[in-house]
Amino acid sequence: VEQTPQPVVITNPAEQLYGEWDLETMRKKPISTRERAYIYLDFHNNQVYGNNGCNSLNGRFQLAGQNISFMDMITTDQSCHNATSERTIMKTLSEVRSYKVMSLYGMEYLHLLNNKGNELLTLKRQNLDLLGGVWLVKEVENENISDKNMRLVIDPVMQTLHGQTGCN
């Protein structure tokens, strides 16, 4: 069944926008970078950090209603084989003035817009819920594990990881 994107009403931005968002498109074209390009919106200090596809990025953001802007952006200085897209991502982030969130097939998409309301970047919420739970360890460094008590527990909400080796 084909669906159409539905607007998401933002009533609590600090809760609804908080977290990691993967860059999907820039100016409606797919993003292709060496590493995964993403941003993480941290509302504790209005910090943004992530990766532009090659270099780590850090900065701040301001949010007021549907308006958002990024400032004081800095990046690491690795040499990239295709630095054009990474530089373009940074320039495009500086042009962002507002946002909207849409939902499609249960996934949320953050659309970052310029001052004329044109879409600059589309980001998809990173969903770590699939990782949550108890995982049976089957292999470690290419060695099969037969101990059924060796487990790994991942809690994405609390951002914790713990395990059991069978005896510890």
Side-chain angles (χ1 to χ4, degrees):
V1 175
E2 190 167 324
Q3 293 183 3
T4 57
Q6 298 297 311
V8 174
V9 176
I10 303 298
T11 56
N12 184 350
E15 185 179 299
Q16 291 174 274
L17 299 177
Y18 187 93
E20 195 165 296
W21 298 84
D22 289 336
L23 277 77
E24 297 273 307
T25 65
M26 183 168 42
R27 302 185 195 278
K28 299 190 178 190
K29 294 181 180 163
I31 292 176
S32 175
T33 55
R34 184 177 79 175
E35 294 181 29
R36 181 174 66 94
Y38 71 95
I39 63 171
Y40 190 101
L41 298 175
D42 182 351
F43 280 78
H44 289 76
N45 296 309
N46 283 2
Q47 298 273 1
V48 59
Y49 54 90
N51 192 295
N52 65 14
C54 175
N55 285 287
S56 296
L57 63 88
N58 285 285
R60 295 182 313 113
F61 68 93
Q62 284 185 325
L63 186 76
Q66 294 297 119
N67 296 324
I68 190 170
S69 58
F70 298 93
M71 69 236 23
D72 303 329
M73 299 296 285
I74 60 171
T75 66
T76 54
D77 195 20
Q78 290 187 74
S79 177
C80 306
H81 73 280
N82 181 11
T84 305
S85 61
E86 288 80 15
R87 280 194 298 270
T88 305
I89 287 170
M90 298 308 294
K91 180 182 180 311
T92 303
L93 279 171
S94 73
E95 298 172 23
V96 171
R97 296 295 176 264
S98 65
Y99 73 93
K100 65 181 178 182
V101 179
M102 304 294 283
S103 176
L104 180 64
Y105 298 109
M107 295 299 299
E108 288 185 346
Y109 294 87
L110 175 61
H111 300 271
L112 299 177
L113 315 169
N114 66 11
N115 59 353
K116 295 180 181 176
N118 297 323
E119 188 173 301
L120 297 173
L121 295 160
T122 300
L123 301 94
K124 182 170 76 171
R125 175 171 296 287
Q126 183 61 265
N127 185 355
L128 299 177
D129 292 342
L130 298 173
L131 293 176
V134 179
W135 294 84
L136 178 64
V137 177
K138 297 223 175 218
E139 185 178 294
V140 175
E141 294 183 348
N142 296 322
E143 296 284 328
N144 288 334
I145 303 296
S146 60
D147 187 342
K148 301 286 186 216
N149 292 317
M150 191 176 286
R151 301 179 185 281
L152 185 65
V153 181
I154 301 172
D155 186 339
V157 174
M158 296 302 293
Q159 297 182 345
T160 60
L161 172 72
H162 63 275
Q164 193 173 9
T165 62
C167 69
N168 293 320

